[in-house]
């Protein structure tokens, strides 16, 4: 009963936003153009813009937003902490370093190799984070994101150092801040892979819920906890790598969205994962629209918009916590 | 055994300070004279400006960090970690954005004064807001500070994007110098400011020692706690402004040098720790800059290296602290 009553308006809202996203831009694309696209094949400029640029961009936003949000959700279950996500624990920054190393060693690398390298680095970075965490005995809830944020900073400064040394700062910038403006047909398709991985994560949702209850509990239920964590980290790394290779680091979606959804739906991953994917897509669309409208005809990259909105929301989450603690 | 030998040679804090001073001066001398290929009359002023900048920054960051840690009673918090540097940059960008190029017509010194004034008001407000309520959880505080820093930086990036590109170029040139291209008037002003602040802090060193004992003890010992903390916060805000205006934000440098200074001095007395932080900072900055420039042949990346090492120190401190 309840899910359906909420699902219909939710899907409708997303569809409306996606539709608006198709219409916004320098070159005029009207509702008529979109209708025309479905009715008969016309080859005017507006249709070309729509097919080659607007549709890919909107699709990329939907895919990347939901993928990052689900990756954040998974990571929160695995780290058993509500304040982590790929860009606040070193995963995203490590993937960026992988890209840089790839550009240095093998400039003409095909896109899949790029993603593979980024994923390997992302895995290593996440493993490093988990290793540092395991050295901290007192796992106070807030120390986990704290260590993660600083570790991200350390990895990023190492990347910046290398990039600076080899005159690649501009190249590095392009994947440090996500930007959808260069997304056209043929440049976003890798993101479908992240959709596949996201779906896998959805299917395995129950296990991750159990993993979120801790090693002892999971082992009691007959799950191989270590393997589960390894699989989860692999999924998160591949998703993060595919998004970074295509558009760059989108910060905070993976952090904010699952937390907001949790407030409404609760901790059960199977119940919440679809909502997380939905809200992630929604947030990506909204932030991208803001970025496109605020200084039109120019645009502010989504990474920057998300940085402002995401960090403000993160602060709000933390301060709500402080109020609860009576500080 | 090595430690014992060290202690017999450098037994007193004063001796260790002399050694630090000698090292810092030696590094500075080397910095000025090593590998000169052009005319001395050209090289000396150029390097002199750079050297003065490095010392000024070491002074401003070191002192402000020690003061902040004394006031907050904690060795992991620093003004930069709590986002104060980023706040100062944001103030400048927002001013330049709202007033536009006209803001650049205001004489540099007056503009600096204006920025610092705003910084004092805003950062003190931020501090009071963050620290109200005694039972503040340290981790929460740190996290809020770091995220606030991210927020200020993102907002700053946003303002830069939204800004008229011409205004931005002017802003970039005039407001965000790096270690190499510091404007001389600004440097001169900074020297005057930090000299005044240094004098004030030095005269307050005993009060600081008392403050370090904690709020209750300090009040019992007759310190006007509220007033003293407010004064110190204003000084911190001014010092942060100086260092950020000169070289931009450096998140973990203060953390690195202040903790090294505590380790090296084995004492809590501010007359030792304050001096040691400044000397260590200068030694690290001058030495680091020299190594990077002469050995690796590059220029502005010192702050990146500092960021890297400082971040590692931060994680180390956190890990160690949560172990016992």
């Amino acid at each position: 009963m309840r899910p359906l009553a909420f699902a219909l308006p939710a899907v409708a809202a997303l569809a409306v936003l996606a539709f608006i996203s198709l219409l916004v831009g320098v070159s005029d694309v009207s509702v008529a153009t979109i209708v025309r696209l479905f009715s008969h094949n016309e080859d005017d400029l507006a249709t070309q813009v729509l097919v080659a640029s607007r549709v890919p961009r909107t699709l990329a936003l939907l895919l990347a937003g939901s993928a990052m949000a689900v990756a954040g959700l998974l990571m929160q279950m695995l780290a058993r902490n509500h304040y982590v996500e790929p860009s606040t624990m070193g995963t995203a920054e490590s993937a960026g370093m992988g890209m840089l190393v790839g550009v240095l060693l093998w400039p003409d690398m095909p896109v899949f190799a790029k993603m593979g390298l980024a994923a390997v680095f992302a895995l290593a970075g996440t493993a490093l984070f988990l290793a540092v965490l395991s050295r901290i005995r007192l796992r106070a809830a807030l120390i986990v994101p704290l260590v993660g944020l600083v570790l991200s900073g350390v990895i990023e400064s190492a990347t910046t150092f290398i990039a600076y040394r080899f005159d690649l700062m501009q190249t590095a910038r392009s994947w440090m801040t996500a930007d959808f403006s260069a997304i056209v047909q043929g440049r976003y398709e890798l993101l479908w892979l992240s959709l596949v991985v996201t779906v896998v994560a959805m299917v395995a949702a129950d296990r991750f819920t159990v993993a979120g209850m801790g090693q002892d509990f999971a082992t009691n239920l007959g799950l191989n906890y270590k393997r589960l964590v390894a699989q989860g980290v692999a999924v998160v790394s591949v998703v993060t790598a595919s998004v970074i290779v295509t558009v760059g680091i989108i910060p905070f979606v993976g952090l904010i969205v699952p937390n907001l959804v949790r407030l409404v739906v609760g901790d059960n991953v199977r119940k919440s994962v679809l909502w997380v994917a939905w809200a992630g897509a929604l947030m990506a669309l909204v932030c991208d629209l803001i970025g496109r409208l605020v200084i039109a005809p120019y645009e502010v990259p989504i990474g920057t918009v998300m940085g402002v909105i995401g960090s403000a929301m993160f602060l709000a989450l933390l301060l709500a916590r402080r109020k609860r603690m009576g500080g | 055994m090595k430690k014992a030998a060290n202690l017999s040679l450098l037994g007193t804090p004063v001796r260790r300070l002399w050694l630090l001073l000698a090292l810092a001066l030696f590094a500075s001398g080397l910095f000025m004279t090593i590998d000169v290929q052009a005319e001395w009359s050209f090289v000396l002023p150029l390097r002199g400006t750079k050297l003065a900048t490095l010392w000024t920054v070491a002074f401003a960051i070191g002192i402000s960090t020690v003061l902040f840690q004394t006031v907050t009673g904690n060795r992991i918090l620093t003004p930069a970690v709590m986002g104060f540097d980023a706040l100062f940059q944001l103030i400048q960008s927002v001013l330049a954005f709202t007033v536009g190029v006209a803001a650049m017509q205001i004489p540099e010194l007056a503009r600096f004064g204006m920025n610092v004034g705003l910084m004092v008001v805003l950062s003190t407000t931020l501090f009071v807001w963050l620290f109200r309520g005694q039972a503040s959880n340290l981790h929460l505080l740190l996290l809020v500070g770091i995220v606030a820093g991210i927020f200020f930086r993102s907002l700053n990036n946003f303002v830069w994007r939204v800004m008229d590109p011409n205004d931005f170029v002017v802003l970039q040139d005039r407001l965000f110098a790096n270690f190499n291209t510091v404007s001389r008037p600004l440097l001169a002003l900074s020297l005057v400011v930090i000299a005044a602040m240094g004098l004030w802090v030095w005269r307050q060193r005993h009060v600081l020692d008392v403050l370090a004992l904690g709020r209750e003890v300090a009040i019992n010992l007759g310190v006007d706690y509220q007033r003293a903390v407010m004064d110190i916060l204003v000084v911190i805000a001014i010092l942060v402004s100086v260092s950020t205006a000169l070289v931009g934000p450096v998140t973990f440098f203060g953390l690195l040098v202040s903790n090294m200074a505590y380790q090296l001095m084995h004492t809590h007395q501010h007359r030792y720790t304050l001096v040691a932080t400044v000397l260590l900072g200068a030694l690290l900055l001058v030495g680091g800059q020299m190594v990077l420039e002469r050995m690796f042949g590059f220029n502005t990346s010192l702050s990146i290296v500092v960021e890297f090492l400082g971040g590692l120190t931060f994680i180390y401190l956190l890990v160690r602290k949560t172990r016992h």
Side-chain angles (χ1 to χ4, degrees):
Chain A
M1 286 296 281
R2 214 181 59 130
L4 200 66
F6 284 105
L8 283 177
V11 172
L14 195 61
V16 169
L17 260 176
F19 196 71
I20 296 175
S21 163
L22 288 176
L23 298 179
V24 172
V26 178
S27 164
D28 276 329
V29 169
S30 62
V31 180
T33 323
I34 299 175
V35 174
R36 208 161 53 215
L37 184 68
F38 287 107
S39 50
H40 37 86
N41 272 338
E42 266 188 62
D43 208 25
D44 57 352
L45 183 68
T47 319
Q48 281 171 11
V49 168
L50 186 65
V51 172
S53 159
R54 294 288 166 76
V55 172
R57 180 172 190 155
T58 302
L59 279 176
L61 280 163
L62 293 171
L63 291 171
S66 52
M68 285 313 288
V70 171
L73 175 70
L74 277 192
M75 216 46 237
Q76 288 168 18
M77 299 314 279
L78 295 174
R80 302 188 63 199
N81 185 291
H82 291 173
Y83 298 100
V84 297
E85 64 125 4
S87 80
T88 62
M89 48 183 258
T91 306
E93 287 73 14
S94 311
M97 186 187 259
M99 295 271 289
L100 181 68
V101 170
V103 170
L104 275 175
L105 299 181
W106 187 15
D108 308 317
M109 168 154 71
V111 71
F112 263 101
K114 250 189 223 169
M115 198 200 83
L117 198 60
V120 169
F121 269 76
L123 269 174
T126 316
L128 179 67
F129 171 72
L130 294 175
V132 173
L133 272 195
S134 70
R135 295 187 66 89
I136 299 176
R137 275 204 209 124
L138 182 91
R139 287 272 294 264
L142 293 172
I143 205 163
V144 177
L146 205 54
V147 169
L149 278 170
V150 178
L151 190 67
S152 308
V154 168
I155 296 173
E156 199 178 311
S157 64
T159 310
T160 314
F161 183 80
I162 304 172
Y164 188 87
R165 186 80 183 91
F166 293 96
D167 248 333
L168 285 168
M169 280 303 282
Q170 280 205 311
T171 322
R173 276 273 150 77
S174 68
W175 62 74
M176 292 209 178
T177 318
D179 187 357
F180 283 84
S181 64
I183 292 291
V184 287
Q185 226 171 8
R187 285 220 39 197
Y188 80 102
E189 282 75 1
L190 197 59
L191 286 175
W192 289 106
L193 180 70
S194 71
L195 178 69
V196 175
V197 183
T198 310
V199 171
V200 170
M202 289 177 182
V203 174
D206 286 340
R207 291 163 184 229
F208 289 118
T209 309
V210 176
M213 295 171 178
Q215 175 158 15
D216 295 342
F217 195 89
T219 314
N220 274 341
L221 289 181
L223 283 174
N224 185 338
Y225 182 78
K226 287 233 162 82
R227 201 169 72 196
L228 195 62
V229 169
Q231 286 166 347
V233 171
V235 166
V236 170
S237 301
V238 171
V239 168
T240 310
S242 69
V243 172
I244 286 179
V245 170
T246 331
V247 290
I249 297 178
I250 315 180
F252 292 114
V253 201
L255 183 80
I256 302 305
V257 166
N259 275 297
L260 294 181
V261 171
R262 179 178 302 112
L263 289 179
V264 185
V265 187
D267 256 337
N268 186 331
V269 176
R270 196 206 285 193
K271 270 191 197 156
S272 62
V273 69
L274 274 175
W275 285 107
V276 168
W278 169 81
L282 199 74
M283 190 169 170
L285 279 177
V286 171
C287 287
D288 185 65
L289 272 177
I290 294 175
R292 277 198 267 177
L293 291 174
V294 71
I295 47 166
Y298 309 104
E299 62 174 87
V300 182
I302 190 175
T304 307
V305 179
M306 201 70 98
V308 175
I309 295 178
S311 55
M313 288 171 93
F314 192 8
L315 273 179
L317 278 176
L318 289 175
L319 294 174
R321 186 192 165 91
R322 166 158 114 168
K323 249 193 195 133
R324 270 208 312 285
M325 298 195 319
Chain B
M1 300 317 105
K2 200 178 154 217
K3 196 166 185 185
N6 274 343
L7 283 180
S8 67
L9 232 165
L10 301 161
T12 64
V14 178
R15 276 201 203 154
R16 287 195 285 268
L17 280 184
W18 280 114
L19 178 76
L20 264 186
L21 179 66
L23 282 173
L25 288 180
F26 175 70
S28 303
L30 210 58
F31 182 83
M32 291 297 286
T33 50
I34 196 175
D35 198 19
V36 172
Q37 277 155 1
E39 286 288 314
W40 283 94
S41 57
F42 171 73
V43 171
L44 285 184
L46 196 70
R47 289 193 182 179
T49 313
K50 220 189 263 187
L51 187 69
T53 310
L54 293 171
W55 274 86
T56 310
V57 169
F59 188 96
I61 293 182
I63 301 279
S64 63
T65 305
V66 172
L67 291 183
F68 197 76
Q69 293 180 336
T70 298
V71 170
T72 55
N74 194 288
R75 290 181 172 186
I76 302 187
L77 295 174
T78 77
V81 168
M82 302 307 289
F84 284 20
D85 291 25
L87 179 64
F88 182 68
Q89 271 205 334
L90 180 63
I91 292 172
Q92 296 189 314
S93 304
V94 169
L95 271 183
F97 176 63
T98 47
V99 187
V101 179
M104 306 301 151
Q105 311 305 330
I106 307 171
E108 189 160 42
L109 307 189
R111 206 176 55 224
F112 183 74
M114 203 163 74
N115 286 331
V116 171
L118 267 173
M119 175 67 188
V120 168
V121 174
L122 285 177
S123 68
T124 316
T125 316
L126 181 67
F127 179 89
V128 171
W129 176 68
L130 281 175
F131 286 81
R132 92 187 146 184
Q134 282 309 298
S136 289
N137 171 332
L138 172 69
H139 295 150
L140 180 65
L141 209 58
L142 269 173
L143 200 56
V144 168
I146 288 190
V147 178
I150 297 178
F151 176 67
F152 294 143
R153 263 190 291 274
S154 311
L155 204 57
N156 201 3
N157 276 330
F158 187 79
V159 173
W160 288 354
R161 282 282 180 167
V162 176
M163 212 166 181
D164 183 320
N166 295 321
D167 290 3
F168 177 66
V169 170
V170 179
L171 178 77
Q172 198 179 27
D173 276 5
R174 304 276 297 266
L175 294 185
F176 303 111
N178 58 37
F179 284 112
N180 292 307
T181 57
V182 167
S183 96
R184 296 229 171 120
L186 189 60
L187 180 60
L189 174 71
S190 303
L191 281 170
V192 173
V193 171
I194 67 157
M197 292 301 123
L199 205 63
W200 185 84
V201 171
W202 186 248
R203 293 184 54 180
Q204 296 288 314
R205 63 192 186 277
H206 302 300
V207 179
L208 288 167
D209 289 341
V210 177
L211 283 179
L213 299 173
R215 182 166 180 270
E216 278 69 30
V217 181
I219 293 176
N220 274 338
L221 289 174
V223 172
D224 182 350
Y225 185 81
Q226 213 68 30
R227 168 97 204 275
V229 167
M230 276 305 152
D231 286 352
I232 292 172
L233 280 177
V234 171
V235 173
I236 291 172
I238 295 173
L239 288 173
V240 167
S241 308
V242 168
S243 82
T244 317
L246 282 180
V247 296
V250 207
T251 316
F252 293 115
F253 183 67
L255 185 88
L256 195 67
V257 285
S258 69
N259 280 287
M260 282 170 77
Y262 301 142
Q263 293 273 331
L264 196 70
M265 288 292 116
H266 300 298
T267 166
H268 299 275
Q269 292 182 52
H270 283 80
R271 60 188 158 134
Y272 299 124
T273 52
L274 284 170
V275 181
T277 326
V278 173
L279 292 177
L280 268 170
L283 179 63
L284 278 187
L285 283 183
V286 175
Q289 182 76 16
M290 191 158 56
V291 169
L292 283 180
E293 270 183 27
R294 300 295 145 213
M295 284 173 62
F296 296 101
F298 34 79
N299 275 324
T300 52
S301 43
L302 180 62
S303 58
I304 305 172
V305 177
V306 165
E307 232 24 31
F308 182 76
L309 295 177
L312 292 182
T313 314
F314 186 83
I315 294 175
Y316 167 75
L317 286 174
L318 272 181
V319 170
R320 204 189 54 174
K321 210 177 144 55
T322 50
R323 288 211 134 184
H324 37 251

